Amino acid sequence: MSISLRYYNSSTSYVKLEDLVTSVEWSGETTQASRSCEVSMNNTTNGTTKAVNVEVGKDIRLYKFGVEIFRGVIFNTEIASDGSFSFTAYDYNYYLTKNTDSMKFVKQKASQIIRTICKKFDIPYDHIDDTGYVIPKLILRNKSIYDMITIALTETRKKTGKVFMLGNESGKLVLRERKSQVKRVTIKDGSNLLSADYSESIEDLRNSVRLTGKNGEESKGVTVSDSDSIKKYGLMREKDHESEKTDAQLKPIANALLKELNKVAKESSVEAIGDRSIIAGKMVQVSEKMTGISGGFYVITDSHTFEPNGVHTMDITVSKTLELNEIEYEPPEEPAKTKQAEKYEVVDGKKIVGISYQTGWIATAYAPALGGINGSGTGLTASSTKVVEGRTIAVDPDVIPYGSVVAIYVPSKNEYSGLYLAEDTGGAIDGKKIDVAVVPSKARAFGVRNIQVAVLERGKGRADARSKAAKWSSIESKWKQKLAAGAESGSAAIDKAASVVKLARSFKGSIRYVFGSKNIAGGTGDCSGFTNYVYKKAIGKDIGQGTSAQIRKGSQVSKASAQAGDLVFFQGTYRSGVSHVGIVTRPGYCVSLASSGCKEHSYTSGYWGSHYMQIRRVL
């Protein structure tokens, strides 16, 4: 063979495996932390015992014509009764995905952050280019250290335009700036090109987006379109509904969605005689007449295969744009309060969690002692109840009926946020206006304020208002308990989603795709077997087997509303209709198990973006 493969059973002692090897596949992607090496071999010489006892956790090194091209650790092995044996190893950057922590960095460059992380986690490193830009602050909680590094590099690229790429050389992490590549390997017909494939599709293209919001699903809403694309491909519109958003809030969402969806899906792949210098992130020159693939391209994925007869071939996917794993920095929320405090504050002095408020309301204040809302000064409401500060509000009964239980949020005056009873009105109270009963000393200071309103229970008239006023303390207490329970339920759902995502990510790069297999714990499975296993193992929830069953679970949500823990479905990958499923980890990304392995990838761009189908919420 043109390669040499060494298995290290200790730090200094090794066994050569190339005489037993049937094939070696060495591969990588621009969006992955590490490169992998998959080895198949006939691990017996007598048909009854192993020739070499290969163990997980041990090192291997791969050489091509005496030059080391891979050094890594074996993470899984598989042997059959006939002695056929396989194992998968990853280079040391793989440990970046296997360690999770919380860290804070203030006024540091990405290069400094990487050194700090490597030292803390005992990750060997060598050359690290100076990234230049000083990041003001990063507070990173419960993230893999690979995601931490990715966030730091993403922030650097946004500010400087420079691209830095991680690598691993001789077992040590390196970071190098990706500069213009002058020398490129040429792949062309009649020379080193073996085959090529190019595809274009507008199946999932959308050149018009219509979103509706608070005004209702049948309202005009917001529509954005690309007239040139419509003229060229015909009208293809995406319709989504965001029940809590105004038209003004919908406009940027619609524009962003149109930008993502209004793309012709293009994919170019090339098979050629192997060249070990061509790996993900490099550039190549390709010329193939039939497919029309021509020009300079970035290598997005590469897979090099070495056969016992010395043949070395490579399959690469190429693109005119460089695809990188990028994560936008999102400052963490403040630590959550204790459950006891949360139960109380969820309905006192702040916005209530879990209900839908309506904006566009204004509020003023009144006090009967200052003349009363009707100038009577009697302290009686239009429902013949006594005005009680902190309970009574005056409303337009044509908009909010008497007897309604109303939640009010006053952003600029939180002491007035809470639950109220609609039991009064007045000549100046019209439409989306409310008068809040307060003590006389605070009436003038209240002024006119913008508020948010949610009608929790619609009243039935004056008699209903009188009945509820008589037992308001009990009614208010019951509503507080109900709302607090709802907030805890929402918090529990968030906790469950975090558990699902954490477990799903733990499998990245460590399991193999086998169609129909459900043996995730054993290291093999298919897409739906993976999602079902993760939900069962993480939170005890059975979402069913098969994509056709899972797509009927929960409720569909729009792409713009996707949350961690949702299921994202794809269509047309190997059959028409739903054919693949993953678990959303963050907006725009998911973890799924496919033929290329278990990976975290975008569902809005690239191959998976072109096959996107829908998102469903099952938590």
Side-chain angles (χ1 to χ4, degrees):
M1 296 183 75
S2 61
I3 61 165
S4 174
L5 184 65
R6 298 177 183 178
Y7 166 70
Y8 281 76
N9 45 29
S10 70
S11 59
T12 57
S13 174
Y14 65 84
V15 177
K16 289 186 176 182
L17 300 180
E18 55 263 30
D19 291 340
L20 302 171
V21 168
T22 55
S23 73
V24 175
E25 185 176 316
W26 172 57
S27 60
E29 296 187 29
T30 55
T31 58
Q32 297 299 310
S34 60
R35 293 185 64 80
S36 66
C37 184
E38 297 184 26
V39 178
S40 296
M41 53 191 280
N42 185 22
N43 194 12
T44 184
T45 55
N46 56 18
T48 58
T49 58
K50 292 180 184 177
V52 181
N53 187 32
V54 178
E55 300 177 25
V56 293
K58 300 293 187 180
D59 286 9
I60 67 157
R61 297 182 191 180
L62 178 66
Y63 297 82
K64 170 79 171 176
F65 294 129
V67 177
E68 182 182 307
I69 62 174
F70 178 85
R71 182 184 299 191
V73 178
I74 297 172
F75 269 80
N76 58 70
T77 64
E78 185 175 344
I79 189 167
S81 58
D82 64 356
S84 57
F85 182 81
S86 65
F87 65 83
T88 302
Y90 300 94
D91 70 36
Y92 291 87
N93 283 7
Y94 192 59
Y95 286 98
L96 300 177
T97 68
K98 292 298 182 182
N99 289 279
T100 302
D101 210 330
S102 296
M103 299 181 74
K104 179 179 179 180
F105 304 96
V106 179
K107 294 182 179 178
Q108 291 193 40
K109 302 174 186 178
S111 46
Q112 294 172 312
I113 291 172
I114 292 172
R115 286 192 182 94
T116 299
I117 288 173
C118 287
K119 289 175 182 177
K120 179 174 180 178
F121 290 91
D122 295 323
I123 296 173
Y125 67 93
D126 192 1
H127 180 87
I128 296 181
D129 277 346
D130 186 348
T131 52
Y133 171 64
V134 177
I135 303 170
K137 182 188 290 186
L138 290 179
I139 301 175
L140 305 169
R141 294 178 181 157
N142 304 319
K143 295 186 181 298
S144 73
I145 56 177
Y146 176 58
D147 282 354
M148 292 184 186
I149 292 173
T150 301
I151 289 170
L153 294 177
T154 301
E155 290 299 298
T156 300
R157 183 198 58 76
K158 285 166 57 181
K159 293 294 183 179
T160 66
K162 294 181 179 180
V163 174
F164 293 86
M165 301 191 71
L166 286 172
N168 197 280
E169 299 171 5
S170 300
K172 295 181 179 180
L173 179 147
V174 296
L175 181 76
R176 301 186 189 277
E177 182 181 354
R178 198 200 182 290
K179 298 180 179 179
S180 178
Q181 184 182 330
V182 178
K183 186 178 179 180
R184 304 176 188 174
V185 171
T186 299
I187 302 173
K188 63 180 181 179
D189 286 325
S191 177
N192 53 352
L193 188 144
L194 301 176
S195 66
D197 184 77
Y198 175 73
S199 64
E200 285 189 2
S201 174
I202 59 171
E203 286 284 351
D204 298 302
L205 179 145
R206 299 292 183 270
N207 45 32
S208 179
V209 172
R210 177 174 170 243
L211 298 182
T212 53
K214 285 187 173 182
N215 294 329
E217 193 159 0
E218 303 306 319
S219 64
K220 182 179 179 182
V222 171
T223 301
V224 293
S225 304
D226 183 334
S227 57
D228 290 339
S229 178
I230 292 172
K231 184 177 180 180
K232 188 173 183 178
Y233 303 119
L235 176 63
M236 291 181 274
R237 176 170 291 166
E238 177 84 358
K239 166 66 169 64
D240 274 328
H241 181 61
E242 298 285 341
S243 60
E244 297 181 4
K245 290 183 170 58
T246 64
D247 285 357
Q249 293 171 320
L250 291 174
K251 189 65 178 289
I253 296 174
N255 283 321
L257 197 55
L258 180 65
K259 184 178 179 181
E260 287 292 337
L261 298 178
N262 188 28
K263 297 175 182 177
V264 177
K266 300 177 181 180
E267 186 167 307
S268 302
S269 59
V270 174
E271 182 185 9
I273 295 172
D275 185 322
R276 65 180 178 83
S277 69
I278 299 179
I279 60 174
K282 295 290 187 179
M283 290 196 75
V284 293
Q285 199 76 20
V286 182
S287 177
E288 205 286 317
K289 292 180 181 179
M290 181 62 72
T291 60
I293 303 175
S294 179
F297 295 89
Y298 291 100
V299 178
I300 306 304
T301 69
D302 70 273
S303 179
H304 293 254
T305 301
F306 304 95
E307 303 289 348
N309 57 7
V311 173
H312 171 198
T313 58
M314 61 185 181
D315 288 289
I316 59 175
T317 58
V318 296
S319 172
K320 288 291 185 180
T321 57
L322 181 61
E323 295 179 15
L324 298 170
N325 186 23
E326 297 188 334
I327 305 176
E328 298 282 342
Y329 174 58
E330 297 180 5
E333 296 180 0
E334 290 303 310
K337 294 180 171 58
T338 63
K339 291 294 183 183
Q340 184 174 1
E342 190 176 81
K343 280 186 177 182
Y344 175 76
E345 291 197 354
V346 73
V347 288
D348 286 301
K350 62 185 288 188
K351 195 171 187 178
I352 301 171
V353 177
I355 65 173
S356 178
Y357 285 90
Q358 187 181 54
T359 58
W361 289 76
I362 61 171
T364 52
Y366 77 104
L370 299 177
I373 198 167
N374 295 308
S376 64
T378 62
L380 292 178
T381 70
S383 302
S384 300
T385 58
K386 183 175 177 60
V387 173
V388 175
E389 297 85 359
R391 182 194 77 194
T392 304
I393 55 173
V395 299
D396 180 344
D398 291 332
V399 179
I400 299 178
Y402 294 126
S404 295
V405 178
V406 181
I408 295 178
Y409 174 53
V410 188
S412 55
K413 208 76 172 174
N414 269 338
E415 63 186 283
Y416 295 107
S417 298
L419 304 183
Y420 291 88
L421 179 62
E423 49 188 319
D424 206 356
T425 192
I429 307 302
D430 182 43
K432 297 174 75 171
K433 182 179 179 182
I434 285 177
D435 243 2
V436 180
V438 301
V439 296
S441 61
K442 294 185 177 181
R444 291 188 175 87
F446 189 95
V448 179
R449 299 186 179 276
N450 292 315
I451 64 170
Q452 296 178 28
V453 173
V455 178
L456 303 179
E457 179 183 331
R458 290 185 69 82
K460 300 176 183 178
R462 287 183 170 87
D464 187 32
R466 289 193 294 271
S467 173
K468 286 176 178 170
K471 49 187 177 182
W472 177 247
S473 178
S474 174
I475 291 173
E476 184 182 34
S477 177
K478 287 180 180 179
W479 269 105
K480 285 185 177 182
Q481 291 176 15
K482 182 177 180 180
L483 293 168
E488 287 188 2
S489 175
S491 176
I494 292 172
D495 291 342
K496 287 182 178 180
S499 297
V500 166
V501 169
K502 184 177 181 179
L503 182 59
R505 280 178 164 160
S506 73
F507 286 103
K508 290 194 298 184
S510 64
I511 52 177
R512 292 190 301 111
Y513 180 86
V514 176
F515 184 79
S517 173
K518 312 298 178 188
N519 187 23
I520 305 301
T524 63
D526 60 13
C527 63
S528 59
F530 170 69
T531 52
N532 188 48
Y533 176 87
V534 169
Y535 273 86
K536 273 187 177 180
K537 183 75 172 177
I539 60 174
K541 186 177 183 66
D542 186 352
I543 59 172
Q545 295 288 358
T547 53
S548 297
Q550 292 178 9
I551 201 170
R552 296 196 296 270
K553 304 293 183 181
S555 58
Q556 185 175 352
V557 297
S558 70
K559 185 183 289 185
S561 300
Q563 296 176 359
D566 290 342
L567 289 174
V568 55
F569 292 89
F570 304 87
Q571 60 188 347
T573 56
Y574 71 94
R575 66 180 185 191
S576 60
V578 60
S579 57
H580 189 69
V581 61
I583 297 170
V584 175
T585 54
R586 52 193 166 97
Y589 288 84
C590 69
V591 167
S592 76
L593 176 57
S595 57
S596 58
C598 185
K599 298 177 181 179
E600 187 165 0
H601 56 82
S602 170
Y603 57 77
T604 61
S605 61
Y607 174 82
W608 294 111
S610 68
H611 290 279
Y612 170 82
M613 186 176 184
Q614 65 173 257
I615 291 172
R616 299 190 73 83
R617 184 154 300 152
V618 295
L619 294 178

